[in-house]
């Protein structure tokens, strides 16, 4: 078949084939068809990252579309801010003519003028921000300033011995086996290597080690030649990039903006350190909550705070304001909006909030807080009270800003609007005169018959105006009225009121309150115990008048209870005056004449005051009430001997030996003669006493000491030998016997004595300690350590052994030993004293002082701890701290302690006071090393 001619083909071709359809054309619309699109028209689904269909469009169309998208991007909602408008310029395409230039010049002049006005404020704020920034992020040199100051103590020799940073010898010593490669410059490598001009290195030539990163341990990784020129060019390009990044100068002049410097620094610090995906999830969730329930204020607040945390403060403000539009009655939303806004804008927000919620107390208070002047605050509060006249909080805030006279007027109106507010009534009563205050309090009682504070204030008012007879009536009526109105009388609350009354200076009110309420709700058999606890509680809180009132009431109900009189006497001794103590003791001995302690306390008080005749009179009365009382005999003897009336003391002791020959009376008789250096008479008295009381160890000890003092060691040894047979359980006797053998250079016998003593008195730490010290003094340190181990096995909880064990160790092991000691004996004063000395050795002065304080608090009767504390303050403290330690020691009157007793019981120091003994012991103490 032959093909048809070309003209025929062209004639049959339709004219619309291959031509695009006209705009808005829908096929079949003329015959009533409806336009639709199918899947084939749209095409397959695409990923968001696929290339756009516009990639085949003509360049002019693509450019036009990009411009439209750019305009849309500038003008879309996300780039809009209600305060600063759109991010981009709306008129950037318009021509720039002379009018625009003149307008820009005028604006620039105005900006300059305003900038000059704000210059001083801006510089001040910049300086404050810079100081705050430096405090939060100090320079490295500031962080090491204290170490720099410490360099003053470095000697010149130490400076010379500091090694240099690049000392090759030190590096060699630190890493002797490490391989070292010296990189060569490109200029050397690019020279004629081996007589040939080349720009690359053969890896097999061995020069690859000169280039860092090209050599590995054992083999060369590159397989081809290395182009050195390209390496140099790449290195130069990299250096130029880095220099451009770090450079901030143009033609040698800096372009740093001093105003925006701190802002830029702050922007470099990330405000949120969490995962960005968590933020996105939180945003989606909160957006869902807002859209689901736009009337839910917490959702808006949470959204705003999320944006605030992530640093988008403007977005947070926009969100919270939108929330306020949706929930105009939400107090929390308006307050959050005011918090997020700058102060000037916040005022407008709060003003808007007040229009919507005029009865919100918190919004009015926030409005007042935003005002800087007191006058403006007053106006705000008065306006608020017009809308909310029954708000106690607003009245209080308004009154605080007023003068006393205006405050009184305001309060008189406040109590009319808020008649059930106790605080307002009491505040008004304080500002009124006496007569008006009484009327105010009466009105307050009528309006609030169930509040005790009004009654207590009325009692204080009467006491302040010297109407003491009315105080008791008011308090009685208060308890009656409150009980009638169904108010529970709570002892704790009334005690608290009494303590507050005492602190306010109303002593009579507090005493009457205590006496009226202390018996309320207490069982009869529990009264004494409960009242003593109440008195101690008040004394511990510093309410001494309340405690005194409790003791006074308790003594009227239990006048014959010796324990209550003693507690009251000790309370007056510690917290009262000498006159109050003596008055109390006079009443005490009248009710409890058989109590020797009360008589002796009265006599001692008179003696300390210097009134010796009065002290003698009290003791004579005590003799009449307690004939043949050993304590009163000895107190009278001490009184006479302390006042150098030795003959009278001898006569008293002679009478006591005739009428009441007790071991202590015999001992005091011999001691008086010993103190007066009548050694033969003292020995005769002791021989007589030993015949009567052979099992009283102190008589034997005194006899042996006197014989040692006379130099007759044989007699002393015989005395001790007989003594330990009569008193085998007296540890001091065994110790004195051992000490005598040691003085006689009989070390083996001293050990034997201590071994016998340990057999007679097993698990006695003092005997073990003396045995250890005997070996230590003899230079047998290994034997001493072995004995210490055995001693701690037998007496694992002995504080004196652990304290000694700490200092038997070498210096590096002492701290570990002290930890073990504290685990075993946490509250033992000897261990605490040893730890204090350990800190002193290490020059940790503040820790040492704290541990000394702990020691003397746990055991104030241990004289050694006071002596060490005083010596520490002499070397490391001030005069005030030394005097404080001395006063505390005198108040504690310590009587125990190895070193303390050695000085205080020395016969030459028998008349020394606590202050002098403290000085002597501190002088003899060695400094811990």
């Amino acid at each position: 078949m032959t093909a048809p001619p070309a003209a025929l083909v062209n004639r049959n071709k339709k004219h619309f084939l291959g031509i695009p359809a006209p705009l808005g054309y829908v096929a079949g619309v003329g015959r009533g068809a409806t336009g639709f699109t199918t899947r084939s028209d749209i095409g397959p689904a695409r990923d968001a990252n696929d290339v756009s269909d516009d990639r085949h469009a003509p360049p002019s169309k693509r450019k036009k579309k990009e411009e439209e998208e750019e305009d849309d991007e500038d003008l879309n909602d996300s780039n809009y801010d209600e305060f600063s408008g759109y991010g981009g310029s709306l008129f950037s395409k318009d021509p720039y003519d002379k009018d625009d230039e003149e307008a820009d010049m005028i604006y620039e002049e105005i900006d300059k003028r305003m900038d000059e006005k704000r210059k001083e404020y801006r510089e001040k704020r910049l300086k404050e921000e810079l100081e705050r920034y430096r405090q939060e992020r100090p320079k490295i040199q500031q962080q090491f300033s204290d170490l720099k100051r410490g360099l003053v103590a470095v000697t010149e020799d130490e400076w010379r011995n500091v090694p240099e940073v690049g000392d090759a010898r030190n590096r060699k010593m630190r890493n002797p086996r490490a391989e070292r490669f010296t990189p060569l410059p490109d200029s050397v490598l690019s020279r004629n290597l081996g007589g040939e001009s080349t720009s690359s290195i053969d890896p097999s030539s061995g020069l690859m080690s000169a280039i860092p990163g090209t050599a590995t341990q054992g083999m060369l990784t590159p397989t081809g030649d290395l182009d050195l020129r390209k390496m140099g060019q790449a290195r130069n390009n990299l250096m130029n990039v880095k220099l451009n990044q770090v450079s901030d100068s143009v033609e040698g002049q800096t372009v740093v903006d001093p105003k925006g410097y701190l802002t830029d620094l702050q922007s470099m610090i990330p405000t949120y350190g969490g995962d960005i995906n968590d933020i996105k999830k939180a945003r989606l969730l909160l957006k869902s909550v807002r859209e689901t329930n736009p009337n839910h204020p917490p959702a808006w607040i949470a959204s705003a705070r999320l944006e605030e945390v992530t640093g988008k403060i403007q977005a947070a403000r926009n969100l919270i304001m939108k929330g306020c539009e949706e929930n105009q009655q939400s107090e929390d939303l308006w307050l959050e909006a005011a918090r997020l806004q700058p102060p000037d804008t916040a005022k407008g927000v709060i003003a808007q909030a007040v229009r919507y919620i005029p009865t919100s107390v918190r919004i009015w208070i926030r409005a007042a807080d935003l005002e800087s002047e007191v006058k403006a605050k007053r106006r705000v509060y008065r306006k608020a009270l017009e809308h909310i006249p029954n708000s106690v909080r607003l009245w209080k805030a308004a009154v605080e800003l007023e003068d006393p006279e205006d405050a009184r007027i305001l309060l008189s109106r406040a109590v009319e609007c808020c008649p059930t507010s106790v605080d307002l009534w009491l505040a008004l009563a304080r500002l009124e005169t006496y007569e008006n205050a009484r009327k105010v309090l009466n009105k307050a009682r009528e309006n609030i018959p169930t509040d005790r504070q009004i009654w207590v204030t009325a009692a204080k008012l009467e006491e302040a105006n010297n109407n003491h007879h009315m105080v008791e009536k008011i308090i009685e009526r208060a308890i009656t009225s409150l009980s009638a109105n169904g108010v529970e009388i709570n002892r704790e609350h009334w005690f608290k009121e009494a303590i507050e009354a005492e602190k306010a200076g109303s002593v009579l009110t507090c005493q009457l309150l205590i006496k009226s309420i202390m018996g309320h709700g207490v069982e009869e058999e529990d009264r004494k115990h409960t009242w003593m606890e109440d008195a101690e509680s008040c004394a511990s809180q510093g309410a001494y008048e309340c405690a005194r009132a409790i003791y006074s009431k308790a003594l009227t109900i239990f006048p014959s209870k010796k324990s209550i009189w003693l507690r009251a006497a000790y309370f007056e001794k510690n917290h009262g005056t000498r006159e109050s103590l003596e008055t109390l003791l006079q009443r005490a001995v009248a009710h409890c004449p058989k109590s020797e302690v009360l008589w002796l306390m009265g006599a001692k008080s008179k003696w300390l005051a210097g009134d010796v005749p009065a002290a003698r009179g009290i003791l004579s009365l005590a003799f009449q009430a307690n004939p043949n009382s050993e304590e009163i005999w000895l107190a009278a003897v001490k009184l006479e001997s302390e006042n150098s009336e030795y003959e009278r003391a001898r006569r008293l002791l002679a009478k006591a030996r005739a009428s009441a020959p007790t071991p202590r009376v015999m001992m005091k008789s011999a001691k008086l003669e010993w103190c007066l250096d009548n050694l033969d008479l003292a020995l005769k008295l002791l021989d007589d006493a030993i015949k009567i009381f052979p099992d009283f160890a102190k008589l034997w000890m005194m006899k042996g000491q006197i014989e040692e003092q006379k130099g007759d060691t044989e007699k002393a040894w015989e005395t001790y030998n007989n003594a330990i047979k009569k008193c085998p359980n007296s540890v001091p006797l065994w110790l004195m016997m051992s000490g005598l053998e040691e003085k006689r250079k009989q070390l083996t016998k001293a050990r034997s004595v201590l071994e016998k003593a340990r057999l007679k008195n097993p698990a006695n730490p003092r005997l073990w300690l003396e045995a250890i010290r005997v070996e230590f003094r003899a230079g047998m340190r290994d034997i001493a350590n072995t004995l210490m181990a055995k001693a701690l096995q037998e007496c694992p909880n002995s504080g004196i052994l652990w304290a000694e064990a700490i200092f038997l160790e070498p210096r590096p092991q002492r701290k570990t030993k002290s930890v073990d000691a504290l685990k075993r004996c946490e509250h033992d004063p000897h261990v605490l004293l040893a730890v204090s000395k350990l800190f002193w050795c290490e020059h940790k002065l503040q820790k040492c002082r704290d541990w000394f304080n702990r020691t003397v608090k746990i055991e104030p009767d241990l004289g050694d701890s006071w002596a060490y504390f005083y010596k520490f303050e002499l070397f490391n403290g001030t005069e005030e701290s030394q005097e404080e330690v001395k006063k505390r020691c005198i108040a504690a009157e310590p009587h125990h302690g190895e070193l303390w007793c050695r000085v205080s019981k020395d016969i030459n120091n028998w008349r020394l006071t606590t202050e002098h003994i403290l000085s002597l012991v501190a002088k003899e103490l060695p400094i811990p090393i």
Side-chain angles (χ1 to χ4, degrees):
M1 239 181 112
T2 58
L8 183 61
V9 173
N10 291 335
R11 190 182 58 196
N12 294 334
K13 185 178 180 181
K14 307 300 181 187
H15 69 277
F16 52 81
L17 293 177
I19 299 172
L23 189 65
Y25 171 79
V26 179
V29 72
R31 58 180 185 272
T34 307
F36 60 93
T37 54
T38 65
R39 188 171 182 179
S40 59
D41 297 321
I42 299 171
R46 293 186 182 91
D47 192 359
N49 296 324
D50 287 351
V51 183
S52 172
D53 288 338
D54 296 335
R55 62 189 183 278
H56 301 301
S60 59
K61 285 188 178 182
R62 271 188 289 172
K63 186 175 181 182
K64 185 175 180 182
K65 189 161 186 177
E66 286 174 5
E67 289 176 356
E68 289 175 359
E69 288 177 357
E70 193 175 337
D71 291 344
D72 292 343
E73 186 179 351
D74 290 340
L75 302 178
N76 61 11
D77 291 339
S78 64
N79 203 27
Y80 177 76
D81 180 61
E82 66 175 344
F83 295 102
S84 56
Y86 288 100
S89 174
L90 299 178
F91 309 105
S92 57
K93 299 175 185 176
D94 293 340
Y96 187 79
D97 53 13
K98 290 184 178 179
D99 292 340
D100 295 330
E101 184 180 357
E102 184 181 358
D104 286 344
M105 193 167 61
I106 292 170
Y107 278 119
E108 188 176 355
E109 291 295 327
I110 292 171
D111 287 342
K112 283 182 182 178
R113 181 69 182 275
M114 296 300 291
D115 188 59
E116 288 176 2
K117 284 184 176 180
R118 290 192 293 263
K119 183 178 179 182
E120 184 178 353
Y121 170 73
R122 187 177 64 250
E123 288 177 352
K124 180 181 176 184
R125 190 181 63 180
L126 180 67
K127 185 177 179 183
E128 290 174 356
E129 290 178 354
L130 188 58
E131 288 175 358
R132 188 167 62 250
Y133 179 80
R134 285 300 175 209
Q135 288 176 359
E136 293 174 358
R137 302 171 184 82
K139 295 180 180 177
I140 294 178
Q141 66 183 41
Q142 293 172 349
Q143 294 176 9
F144 289 95
S145 59
D146 55 339
L147 299 177
K148 284 184 179 179
R149 285 195 295 272
L151 292 176
V152 178
V154 179
T155 62
E156 192 173 347
D157 293 335
E158 290 174 339
W159 275 115
R160 289 199 191 98
N161 294 328
V162 174
E164 295 293 334
V165 176
D167 194 345
R169 290 174 300 173
N170 292 340
R171 282 205 305 271
K172 190 172 183 180
M173 289 171 64
R174 286 197 300 270
N175 196 3
R177 297 185 180 179
E179 290 189 37
R180 293 173 181 79
F181 301 110
T182 305
L184 295 177
D186 296 347
S187 59
V188 175
L189 295 174
S190 63
R191 288 178 190 168
N192 189 356
L193 299 173
E196 297 179 7
S197 177
T198 180
S199 62
S200 62
I201 299 175
D202 185 4
S204 62
S205 65
L207 294 173
M208 285 295 292
S209 62
I211 304 170
T214 61
T216 59
Q217 299 268 342
M219 66 177 182
L220 296 169
T221 53
T223 58
D225 293 345
L226 192 64
D227 193 344
L228 297 177
R229 289 194 184 91
K230 289 184 178 179
M231 277 183 59
Q233 291 171 3
R235 186 184 62 187
N236 291 337
N237 290 336
L238 182 62
M239 183 61 70
N240 288 333
V241 170
K242 288 184 177 179
L243 288 173
N244 290 334
Q245 287 176 351
V246 301
S247 175
D248 68 335
S249 62
V250 180
E251 296 179 356
Q253 298 199 0
T254 182
V255 292
V256 174
D257 180 15
K259 301 175 193 173
Y261 178 64
L262 286 175
T263 311
D264 292 342
L265 283 177
Q266 191 65 30
S267 65
M268 291 166 66
I269 302 167
T271 54
Y272 179 75
D275 190 0
I276 194 69
N277 292 324
D278 295 341
I279 299 173
K280 288 180 178 178
K281 287 177 186 176
R283 277 202 186 104
L284 284 173
L285 287 171
L286 291 171
K287 183 179 179 183
S288 174
V289 173
R290 293 197 309 270
E291 290 176 353
T292 306
N293 187 6
N295 296 322
H296 186 56
W300 294 98
I301 293 172
S303 302
R305 287 186 180 173
L306 176 66
E307 301 300 335
E308 182 188 11
V309 166
T310 54
K312 298 185 177 182
I313 189 69
Q314 190 57 50
R317 290 170 181 168
N318 295 341
L319 270 173
I320 204 70
M321 291 309 297
K322 192 173 181 183
C324 291
E325 291 175 9
E326 295 286 344
N327 303 275
Q328 296 174 348
Q329 299 298 317
S330 173
E331 187 182 58
D332 294 330
L333 269 176
W334 287 110
L335 290 172
E336 185 70 12
R339 186 185 69 81
L340 288 172
Q341 298 290 354
D344 295 337
T345 316
K347 289 182 182 179
V349 171
I350 285 293
Q352 195 174 355
V354 165
R355 284 197 291 274
Y356 287 112
I357 321 172
T359 57
S360 170
V361 175
R362 290 167 62 199
I363 288 176
W364 281 108
I365 290 174
R366 179 62 180 154
D369 291 341
L370 288 171
E371 299 292 344
S372 55
E373 296 181 359
V374 178
K375 207 172 194 179
K377 288 178 185 286
R378 288 176 185 163
R379 281 202 305 270
V380 171
Y381 279 127
R382 290 183 181 182
K383 190 75 175 174
L385 289 169
E386 290 178 9
H387 290 87
I388 322 168
N390 58 349
S391 170
V392 177
R393 189 177 174 188
L394 284 176
W395 280 111
K396 286 182 180 178
V399 167
E400 286 175 0
L401 297 174
E402 301 291 345
D403 299 330
E405 187 59 34
D406 294 335
R408 188 178 59 78
I409 297 169
L410 265 181
L411 283 169
S412 60
R413 174 63 181 155
V415 294
E416 293 176 8
C417 298
C418 309
T420 57
S421 172
V422 178
D423 293 336
L424 293 177
W425 282 107
L426 297 181
L428 178 59
R430 288 189 198 100
L431 294 175
E432 292 285 2
T433 59
Y434 171 56
E435 292 297 331
N436 290 338
R438 292 180 72 179
K439 294 176 183 176
V440 167
L441 291 172
N442 286 330
K443 286 182 183 177
R445 283 201 297 267
E446 292 172 5
N447 286 282
I448 317 168
T450 58
D451 193 271
R452 68 178 180 281
Q453 290 185 2
I454 300 172
W455 291 96
V456 175
T457 306
K460 290 180 187 176
L461 178 67
E462 298 298 341
E463 183 182 355
N465 289 275
N466 297 321
N467 292 331
H468 295 163
H469 64 283
M470 288 293 297
V471 177
E472 189 171 1
K473 290 182 181 178
I474 288 173
I475 291 172
E476 289 175 1
R477 286 174 58 195
I479 295 172
T480 307
S481 174
L482 291 171
S483 301
N485 282 287
V487 178
E488 181 188 357
I489 306 299
N490 190 313
R491 289 180 81 250
E492 290 183 8
H493 294 166
W494 283 88
F495 268 91
K496 197 176 290 184
E497 290 287 349
I499 292 170
E500 290 177 3
E502 180 181 347
K503 289 178 180 177
S506 303
V507 176
L508 180 62
T509 302
C510 85
Q511 290 176 344
L512 291 173
L513 279 171
I514 290 291
K515 289 178 180 178
S516 301
I517 206 65
M518 61 185 285
H520 194 86
V522 180
E523 297 293 334
E524 190 170 347
E525 58 271 16
D526 296 335
R527 285 185 300 176
K528 179 190 166 187
H529 178 68
T530 306
W531 290 347
M532 293 303 101
E533 284 185 351
D534 291 338
E536 288 178 6
S537 174
C538 290
S540 65
Q541 296 179 56
Y544 302 131
E545 292 297 334
C546 293
R548 194 170 280 118
I550 293 171
Y551 283 125
S552 174
K553 178 79 172 179
L555 288 171
T556 56
I557 295 175
F558 302 105
S560 60
K561 285 286 183 182
K562 174 186 165 184
S563 59
I564 301 178
W565 285 109
L566 276 175
R567 284 186 181 233
Y570 283 123
F571 172 79
E572 292 296 342
K573 181 183 176 183
N574 294 326
H575 305 294
T577 61
R578 186 174 61 85
E579 292 77 10
S580 64
L581 173 61
E582 290 174 359
T583 305
L584 180 76
L585 288 171
Q586 286 175 4
R587 291 172 53 209
V589 295
H591 288 91
C592 303
K594 296 295 181 185
S595 175
E596 298 172 359
V597 180
L598 296 171
W599 287 105
L600 294 175
M601 286 181 72
K604 188 175 181 180
S605 177
K606 291 290 185 183
W607 170 51
L608 291 175
D611 194 353
V612 178
R616 287 193 187 116
I618 291 173
L619 288 174
S620 64
L621 292 172
F623 273 125
Q624 294 173 12
N626 302 276
N628 299 330
S629 169
E630 180 190 81
E631 292 291 339
I632 296 173
W633 278 112
L634 295 179
V637 170
K638 185 176 182 180
L639 176 66
E640 300 300 343
S641 60
E642 290 286 345
N643 290 281
S644 303
E645 298 286 347
Y646 304 123
E647 289 301 324
R648 297 184 69 163
R650 282 181 175 135
R651 287 198 298 270
L652 283 169
L653 285 167
K655 287 181 182 179
R657 289 196 302 273
S659 59
T662 63
R664 288 187 65 203
V665 169
M666 303 298 286
M667 183 187 70
K668 292 292 183 183
S669 301
K671 188 174 181 181
L672 179 62
E673 300 302 334
W674 186 14
C675 293
L676 298 175
D677 208 22
N678 298 324
L679 301 184
D680 294 333
L681 182 57
L683 284 173
K684 183 179 180 303
L685 286 169
L686 286 169
D687 287 335
D688 296 340
I690 287 170
K691 290 175 185 176
I692 306 171
F693 307 105
D695 56 348
F696 191 69
K698 286 189 177 181
L699 296 172
W700 291 102
M701 284 189 276
M702 285 177 65
K703 184 182 178 186
Q705 285 175 317
I706 293 172
E707 288 168 346
E708 280 189 59
Q709 185 178 339
K710 292 177 74 175
D712 197 346
T713 54
E714 291 298 328
K715 279 191 177 182
W717 184 87
E718 188 178 347
T719 300
Y720 291 140
N721 199 23
N722 292 328
I724 57 177
K725 292 175 183 175
K726 297 288 185 182
C727 310
N729 296 324
S730 174
V731 174
L733 268 176
W734 288 102
L735 296 177
M736 293 175 81
M737 179 80 172
S738 169
L740 182 61
E741 295 290 4
E742 196 175 355
K743 284 179 189 174
R744 296 168 65 190
K745 308 296 182 185
Q746 302 289 331
L747 188 60
T748 307
K749 287 187 177 181
R751 288 173 181 155
S752 175
V753 167
L754 290 171
E755 284 179 8
K756 285 180 185 177
R758 291 201 298 274
L759 288 173
K760 297 283 185 182
N761 304 277
N764 190 289
R766 291 176 63 194
L767 293 172
W768 279 107
L769 181 63
E770 185 61 23
I772 293 162
R773 286 178 176 173
V774 165
E775 301 298 341
F776 193 79
R777 287 194 291 264
M780 307 291 184
R781 193 180 185 95
D782 294 338
I783 299 175
N785 287 326
T786 306
L787 281 174
M788 177 60 76
K790 291 180 181 178
L792 289 175
Q793 283 181 349
E794 192 169 338
C795 310
N797 297 319
S798 170
I800 54 173
L801 287 176
W802 279 107
E804 189 77 12
I806 291 171
F807 286 95
L808 278 179
E809 296 287 335
R811 285 182 69 93
Q813 279 81 41
R814 286 179 184 175
K815 188 176 285 186
T816 307
K817 200 72 173 179
S818 67
V819 173
D820 296 337
L822 286 169
K823 285 179 182 176
R824 285 284 185 179
C825 316
E826 185 179 358
H827 301 295
D828 190 279
H830 296 93
V831 174
L832 295 177
L833 178 59
V835 174
S836 307
K837 287 153 61 178
L838 193 62
F839 282 125
W840 191 357
C841 297
E842 296 175 354
H843 301 286
K844 296 179 179 178
L845 302 183
Q846 188 54 47
K847 279 192 175 181
C848 178
R849 186 175 284 111
D850 294 341
W851 279 82
F852 272 130
N853 274 311
R854 285 182 63 183
T855 308
V856 297
K857 280 181 182 176
I858 283 179
E859 185 53 79
D861 194 46
L862 185 63
D864 290 1
S865 56
W866 286 110
Y868 269 111
F869 196 5
Y870 184 61
K871 182 146 192 164
F872 170 78
E873 293 295 349
L874 286 175
F875 278 86
N876 303 293
T878 60
E879 290 185 7
E880 291 80 6
S881 61
Q882 294 162 17
E883 286 299 319
E884 184 190 356
V885 172
K886 189 184 289 185
K887 285 179 182 176
R888 289 168 64 189
C889 178
I890 293 168
E893 293 183 1
H895 294 94
H896 293 88
E898 183 182 358
L899 300 169
W900 184 271
C901 290
R902 188 185 303 166
V903 174
S904 63
K905 293 190 176 181
D906 189 343
I907 205 65
N908 298 316
N909 302 329
W910 71 288
R911 294 190 64 179
L912 292 184
T913 60
T914 304
E915 181 180 355
H916 293 98
I917 294 171
L918 176 68
S919 301
L920 285 175
V921 178
K923 192 181 293 182
E924 291 187 11
L925 287 176
I927 298 175
I929 56 172

